[in-house]
Amino acid sequence: MNDSIEIRGAKEHNLKNISLSIPHRTLTTLTGVSGSGKSSLAFDTIFKEGQRRYLESLSAYARQFLGVMAKADVEHIEGLSPTISIDQKSVNKNPRSTVGTVTEIYDFFRLLFARLGTPYCSKCGHKISKQSEDQIAQTVLRDFKDKRILILAPIVRDRKGEYRKEIEDVKNAGYTRIRIDNIVYKFEENQIPELKRYEKHTLEIVIDRIKTEDKHLSRITDDIERAIRITKGLVAFYEEHELEIETENENNKENKTKRKKTKISKQSEIDKYYRLYTTERSCANCGHSIADIEPNLFSFNNPMGACSVCGGLGVEHIFTEKHIIRDENLNIYEGALSCFVDDHIGFDMEYGFEELETIAKVYKIDLKKAWKDLSKTEKKYLLYGTDKEIRWRKRFWYHSKIVEEKVPGILTRLKYDYETYKMSYYANFMDEMECPKCKGKRINEDALAVKFDGKTIADFSSMTIEELFNYFTKLKLKPNEEIIGNPIIKEIIYRLTFLVKVGLTYLTIERASPTLSGGESQRIRLASQIGSGLEGVLYVLDEPSIGLHQSDNKKLIESLKTLRDKNNTVIVVEHDKETMEESDYLVDIGLDAGVSGGNIVGIGNFEEFIKSEESYTAKYLRGDDDIPIPKIRREGNGKFLKIIGASQFNLKNIDVKIPLGLFLVVSGLSGSGKSTLIDNILMRALHNHFYGKNGKTFNVGKHKKIEGIENIDKVIEVDQSPIGRTPRSNPATYTKVFSPIRDLFAATKLAKMRGYDKGRFSFNVKTGRCPTCEGAGLIELEMQFLSNVLVPCEECAGKRFNAETLDIKYKDKNIYEVLELTVSEAIEFFDGITSITRILKIMEDIGLGYI
């Protein structure tokens, strides 16, 4: 193996055909001014080529599923290892993803509780122990007294498959009925359905149909024993009952009720008539049974363990009055309801003013009153519907009919529409609330009733990394638990150790991944990679110190060194002085940004690097240059925003007074509550205040109130999320500077003669763009076993527009040539045109003159 990565002729983006060597098994820092080409070298050249070569080593069959990356613009690279990138993208935007699931710590918690947890009854709190067949029989006689029941042997529970052999074996064993997905089928009637292979199914043998009377106790006990022999411990009981649905006769003139075999879809309805018992885990006090204690019971991503109300999310989305009222000073006819379009709910033509008038007629509500003038009781009826059945005309898409039932209210109907159609439109009228059943714990009551060392798995999840580390390092297991528990606890401590090392001691295991900052996400992935124990790997990191307080920086650097000491090569794109001082090797790309960058202006170990005369970075490290601290500070406008009683997450009911008219910085240790205060509370509260009535609202962090909002007129959030949504998006379209540029071209003499308007100069409009590439400038060629290749469009030669559009010129440049200018060049080109240069100068002022 080579002792270094040899790069020859790198020309990706603005790199100027550079060549260099990066030693293996070192911590190497790539630095330089923003836009100089650091990421182009680290990610778009080294990482990209490493990934491409790995994928090309796979078989052609595998590559057609994985895809192959395009080759980096470099003449030659040798000495590459398998590459792993740890950038600042969020770990996971899935609301089900947590710190515990990403780091696998929660997986080991689940295993620990499944093997060493002690189950308690979720109904009465008594310790659950094994239950005999006789005890089960007595419980059934009590719970289903004088009811006709099915005694069932569950042979498949909530698993994917077709199960043809299992069904055939049941038939050959002499059983006449089988219950599949809550429906009972008879073998003699040949009505067994074909099961879909990739859907989950439940199969239960019908052992007996019997009425639960004391005289049948012996028979019921025998049936239970037979079911338990088949299933190795499980038996279920289902109370037979009539299911009636309303159907219309052939002439559609009268309604009849007809008993019909149907599948009950709601879990709550199944639970009402269904009981599952086990000889392994049952409560002797109340008879409550739980399934086998396996890791899946503690998973909120599995139906077996997830809360039945929120489905494992920990939150429930409900429709609320504040989101559907546009203006409480108006009545419903004048537009008080934001969820109504004309005279009906959004996309629901079956519910509107007529239904509200029906409710109003019953309860004598004056709908011409302003919403704020209605009483609480009147609002309740309009929002939630009638509390009794009445006779009224119910509307359907193509007809209506007289029914006798409750009239739904606005919120009731919105909930029905959302659950039926799942349209994102309805999310505008919903609030995210803590699940009322699991209280945000995500898992069901049976899982929450299992304890280890007196704590539930939710208790462990709510502890911080530091608290967990201290707890498990001091934990002493009982002698009979050590064989099973020691390997599990060893893995938990192993992962917690690395999270502590990267400075994430303040996070809890239950913290949702989407709420993490880019820096936190990156450090979690770094900890996961350290914990993986891989050797001989090339790691590429993108500014891992961002968002990290200086006091935690040493922990991060030690973690990077730990990664290096496992025979790995670590390349870091970084500006942090401490990281550069601790690096084995440094490379400075510059001298400036964009076309003025892309060269190596400093290279070597730290002692060699700081001697560089060209490098800006070396000059600052030597102390030749510095940024002076202002001697005079601005005083502001004398007005304030005041946050009262902020108590979200770790904030301790604090009051914060923020002066206006100043450039402010909120600082503090990583995890101290900065983002919680400014983003979760202040920004969201201001957004809801200014834009909430007619747009999306946010759930605001806990606080009492915010004073001084009248001193500002808007709020704008600038975060790190990507800006472009389509391949045709670029800085000109995003900043809206492209619009006045198109106006300028449309105002030229030739454009007016031809009748071209500004739309002609947009590559999103058919008339002016190239018809072949549709304004992209590139054509993607599909390759059967190779990566898709992007080639310049032959029709327009990559210029995006058709020939007629390119005929139009302003100052001897067509629209394509103008878009090829850098920001700095465009400022000079459009000198004197304020509508264009005003935006471009702002971009140049913030260091984006090179793009």
Side-chain angles (χ1 to χ4, degrees):
M1 179 177 175
N2 293 346
D3 290 332
S4 62
I5 303 168
E6 302 291 337
I7 303 165
R8 298 289 177 265
K11 298 184 285 290
E12 193 73 28
H13 301 318
N14 67 333
L15 296 178
K16 303 292 175 37
N17 197 28
I18 63 173
S19 300
L20 71 155
S21 299
I22 297 176
H24 274 303
R25 297 176 291 282
T26 60
L27 171 58
T28 298
T29 296
L30 300 184
T31 188
V33 299
S34 301
S36 62
K38 306 182 297 297
S39 296
S40 297
L41 177 61
F43 291 95
D44 299 329
T45 303
I46 298 173
F47 170 68
K48 184 177 180 181
E49 187 63 12
Q51 287 290 86
R52 185 187 71 82
R53 291 185 184 183
Y54 166 70
L55 293 176
E56 283 199 346
S57 70
L58 303 176
S59 66
Y61 178 77
R63 292 203 306 272
Q64 69 176 325
F65 298 106
L66 294 172
V68 182
M69 300 174 70
K71 189 178 185 301
D73 190 3
V74 60
E75 290 177 9
H76 177 67
I77 298 183
E78 64 179 42
L80 270 181
S81 311
T83 56
I84 293 176
S85 165
I86 307 177
D87 55 22
Q88 291 181 33
K89 293 177 182 175
S90 182
V91 176
N92 201 325
K93 289 297 183 185
N94 188 336
R96 294 184 178 276
S97 175
T98 66
V99 172
T101 58
V102 171
T103 58
E104 298 179 351
I105 291 173
Y106 190 75
D107 297 330
F108 285 101
F109 281 177
R110 294 194 294 120
L111 187 60
L112 179 69
F113 273 78
R115 299 295 174 258
L116 297 180
T118 302
Y120 291 83
C121 179
S122 60
K123 306 298 181 186
C124 66
H126 282 72
K127 188 175 178 180
I128 288 182
S129 57
K130 292 184 178 181
Q131 196 170 12
S132 69
E133 291 88 341
D134 291 333
Q135 287 175 314
I136 294 173
Q138 291 292 344
T139 303
V140 170
L141 282 176
R142 183 188 68 207
D143 292 351
F144 295 100
K145 187 172 179 62
D146 297 328
K147 301 288 179 62
R148 183 167 290 279
I149 61 170
L150 300 179
I151 300 178
L152 308 169
I155 54 174
V156 174
R157 294 189 66 231
D158 203 31
R159 295 206 310 266
K160 295 178 182 178
E162 296 177 334
Y163 300 112
R164 294 175 184 170
K165 181 180 182 300
E166 287 79 358
I167 293 172
E168 191 63 31
D169 288 346
V170 173
K171 181 179 179 182
N172 294 337
Y175 295 102
T176 59
R177 293 179 178 84
I178 187 169
R179 189 169 182 259
I180 302 175
D181 295 337
N182 309 324
I183 304 177
V184 177
Y185 298 95
K186 293 181 180 179
F187 286 110
E188 63 186 26
E189 296 178 3
N190 294 321
Q191 52 183 212
I192 308 299
E194 288 190 9
L195 304 185
K196 294 182 180 180
R197 182 178 179 183
Y198 297 107
E199 290 185 5
K200 292 182 178 180
H201 304 285
T202 297
L203 275 64
E204 297 164 307
I205 303 171
V206 180
I207 302 293
D208 202 354
R209 297 172 71 231
I210 192 170
K211 192 170 184 179
T212 49
E213 297 175 339
D214 290 341
K215 65 181 180 181
H216 295 145
L217 176 60
S218 177
R219 179 177 161 185
I220 291 172
T221 305
D222 290 342
D223 291 335
I224 291 171
E225 290 176 351
R226 197 189 322 169
I228 286 170
R229 280 198 303 271
I230 296 170
T231 62
K232 297 181 180 179
L234 287 176
V235 60
F237 302 90
Y238 186 71
E239 178 190 334
E240 286 191 317
H241 58 287
E242 290 188 354
L243 297 177
E244 294 185 346
I245 61 172
E246 196 176 83
T247 58
E248 293 185 359
N249 66 4
E250 293 179 359
N251 298 323
N252 199 28
K253 292 180 180 178
E254 59 179 340
N255 296 328
K256 290 184 178 180
T257 57
K258 177 182 178 183
R259 192 196 296 178
K260 183 178 180 180
K261 187 183 300 175
T262 183
K263 179 176 179 179
I264 302 175
S265 59
K266 291 186 178 180
Q267 189 66 40
S268 58
E269 287 298 318
I270 297 171
D271 292 343
K272 185 177 178 181
Y273 301 102
Y274 184 84
R275 295 285 188 279
L276 175 68
Y277 294 91
T278 171
T279 55
E280 298 298 320
R281 309 273 184 195
S282 296
C283 177
N285 182 55
C286 68
H288 177 66
S289 265
I290 61 173
D292 291 340
I293 299 183
E294 292 296 328
N296 280 346
L297 178 65
F298 305 97
S299 172
F300 45 79
N301 294 324
N302 188 293
M304 185 182 293
C307 169
S308 59
V309 173
C310 65
L313 291 174
V315 294
E316 192 178 18
H317 294 90
I318 61 172
F319 291 95
T320 58
E321 178 186 347
K322 69 177 182 180
H323 288 310
I324 68 164
I325 303 303
R326 179 184 287 113
D327 189 343
E328 63 177 10
N329 296 308
L330 305 176
N331 63 42
I332 65 167
Y333 300 112
E334 295 170 336
L337 301 173
S338 58
C339 58
F340 268 54
V341 176
D342 296 329
D343 63 347
H344 60 274
I345 283 181
F347 295 92
D348 186 354
M349 304 292 290
E350 299 174 4
Y351 190 95
F353 289 159
E354 290 184 28
E355 285 67 28
L356 295 182
E357 288 164 357
T358 302
I359 297 172
K361 186 177 179 181
V362 174
Y363 298 105
K364 297 180 174 54
I365 302 171
D366 183 3
L367 295 181
K368 292 184 179 180
K369 276 186 181 180
W371 184 265
K372 68 177 182 180
D373 296 331
L374 296 173
S375 68
K376 286 185 178 180
T377 304
E378 290 173 330
K379 288 179 181 178
K380 185 189 80 170
Y381 289 130
L382 292 173
L383 293 173
Y384 299 102
T386 60
D387 55 7
K388 57 186 178 183
E389 293 184 350
I390 64 169
R391 189 173 175 82
W392 61 291
R393 179 170 291 278
K394 187 175 183 179
R395 290 187 293 162
F396 299 91
W397 274 97
Y398 300 109
H399 68 284
S400 63
K401 66 177 182 180
I402 300 297
V403 298
E404 190 164 334
E405 57 184 51
K406 293 180 179 179
V407 184
I410 302 167
L411 297 182
T412 312
R413 185 67 183 196
L414 283 170
K415 182 179 180 182
Y416 167 81
D417 287 346
Y418 179 72
E419 291 177 348
T420 305
Y421 306 112
K422 297 295 182 185
M423 296 179 72
S424 58
Y425 165 78
Y426 294 103
N428 295 322
F429 313 112
M430 301 173 81
D431 248 346
E432 188 177 270
M433 309 289 286
E434 184 182 82
C435 174
K437 187 170 185 180
C438 69
K439 306 299 182 186
K441 302 292 191 291
R442 295 177 176 247
I443 52 179
N444 61 40
E445 59 271 24
D446 286 340
L448 288 170
V450 180
K451 295 184 179 181
F452 170 76
D453 197 24
K455 292 181 171 64
T456 67
I457 195 167
D459 294 334
F460 281 115
S461 296
S462 63
M463 294 168 70
T464 64
I465 300 294
E466 185 175 25
E467 290 169 344
L468 287 170
F469 181 77
N470 293 335
Y471 173 84
F472 280 105
T473 50
K474 297 174 183 176
L475 180 65
K476 298 294 182 184
L477 295 176
K478 298 174 183 176
N480 61 328
E481 296 175 335
E482 289 180 351
I483 295 177
I484 298 172
N486 280 341
I488 301 172
I489 291 171
K490 179 183 176 183
E491 291 294 332
I492 292 173
I493 294 174
Y494 185 64
R495 283 159 174 77
L496 289 171
T497 301
F498 295 118
L499 288 171
V500 170
K501 283 186 176 181
V502 295
L504 295 174
T505 54
Y506 56 89
L507 292 180
T508 59
I509 292 300
E510 66 185 359
R511 177 81 174 263
S513 295
T515 67
L516 298 172
S517 68
E520 288 171 335
S521 301
Q522 189 179 29
R523 291 195 289 281
I524 284 177
R525 294 175 62 195
L526 175 61
S528 299
Q529 290 300 328
I530 296 172
S532 68
L534 292 175
E535 295 188 13
V537 175
L538 170 60
Y539 289 98
V540 184
L541 291 89
D542 184 15
E543 299 187 39
S545 68
I546 195 166
L548 191 64
H549 194 270
Q550 223 42 44
S551 63
D552 293 321
N553 216 21
K554 288 190 185 302
K555 294 178 183 177
L556 173 65
I557 293 170
E558 288 303 315
S559 298
L560 295 175
K561 288 182 176 179
T562 302
L563 209 57
R564 175 202 63 189
D565 294 342
K566 290 176 180 272
N567 286 325
N568 297 310
T569 304
V570 182
I571 297 177
V572 182
V573 176
E574 188 59 270
H575 298 288
D576 178 65
K577 177 183 176 182
E578 206 168 356
T579 304
M580 286 189 270
E581 290 174 342
E582 296 288 336
S583 296
D584 304 307
Y585 204 71
L586 291 100
V587 180
D588 193 357
I589 310 293
L591 186 61
D592 292 303
V595 293
S596 301
N599 292 302
I600 297 174
V601 294
I603 191 167
N605 60 35
F606 186 76
E607 289 74 19
E608 296 168 343
F609 178 80
I610 60 173
K611 295 175 183 177
S612 171
E613 292 298 325
E614 282 189 280
S615 168
Y616 290 142
T617 308
K619 290 178 181 178
Y620 278 97
L621 289 173
R622 289 196 303 266
D624 295 349
D625 284 340
D626 62 1
I627 300 174
I629 297 173
K631 295 180 180 179
I632 301 174
R633 303 285 187 176
R634 295 177 65 182
E635 295 181 357
N637 59 19
K639 298 177 181 178
F640 296 87
L641 276 177
K642 192 171 183 180
I643 306 170
I644 309 294
S647 55
Q648 180 74 2
F649 296 140
N650 63 335
L651 295 179
K652 304 295 193 298
N653 195 32
I654 61 174
D655 299 340
V656 182
K657 194 175 182 181
I658 301 173
L660 299 177
L662 297 172
F663 175 41
L664 303 172
V665 173
V666 178
S667 185
L669 292 172
S670 302
S672 59
K674 305 180 297 295
S675 297
T676 302
L677 177 68
I678 301 301
D679 185 62
N680 286 35
I681 297 178
L682 182 61
M683 190 284 293
R684 295 186 180 191
L686 294 178
H687 179 279
N688 291 353
H689 174 79
F690 290 116
Y691 316 116
K693 289 185 178 179
N694 299 313
K696 181 181 177 182
T697 59
F698 292 106
N699 292 313
V700 183
K702 294 177 184 176
H703 70 289
K704 293 177 182 175
K705 62 178 179 177
I706 296 178
E707 297 176 350
I709 296 180
E710 67 277 4
N711 295 325
I712 57 175
D713 61 0
K714 69 178 71 170
V715 60
I716 298 172
E717 182 187 25
V718 182
D719 59 17
Q720 296 179 7
S721 57
I723 58 173
R725 294 186 180 180
T726 72
R728 292 190 289 270
S729 179
N730 60 36
T733 57
Y734 185 80
T735 60
K736 296 182 173 56
V737 75
F738 196 35
S739 184
I741 290 175
R742 291 189 293 120
D743 287 333
L744 204 59
F745 274 87
T748 60
K749 187 175 180 181
L750 183 57
K752 288 182 177 180
M753 287 173 59
R754 294 186 179 182
Y756 294 167
D757 60 8
K758 65 183 295 184
R760 180 82 189 193
F761 302 94
S762 170
F763 33 72
N764 293 321
V765 179
K766 289 183 179 180
T767 53
R769 72 185 184 189
C770 170
T772 305
C773 64
E774 296 183 340
L778 299 167
I779 300 290
E780 187 175 32
L781 301 179
E782 292 189 7
M783 309 292 284
Q784 183 64 34
F785 294 112
L786 299 173
S787 61
N788 294 349
V789 178
L790 291 173
V791 298
C793 172
E794 293 183 4
E795 180 76 18
C796 67
K799 295 182 178 179
R800 298 185 172 215
F801 299 92
N802 58 36
E804 291 77 13
T805 305
L806 294 173
D807 285 341
I808 311 300
K809 294 189 177 182
Y810 173 78
K811 288 187 179 181
D812 295 328
K813 289 187 184 292
N814 59 36
I815 189 73
Y816 164 74
E817 292 168 334
V818 167
L819 288 172
E820 288 295 296
L821 297 172
T822 66
V823 170
S824 297
E825 291 169 342
I827 290 173
E828 185 178 344
F829 183 77
F830 292 110
D831 186 33
I833 305 174
T834 311
S835 60
I836 296 174
T837 57
R838 179 177 54 83
I839 300 172
L840 295 175
K841 282 180 179 177
I842 294 172
M843 295 175 68
E844 187 178 50
D845 289 344
I846 61 174
L848 295 176
Y850 60 91
I851 64 172

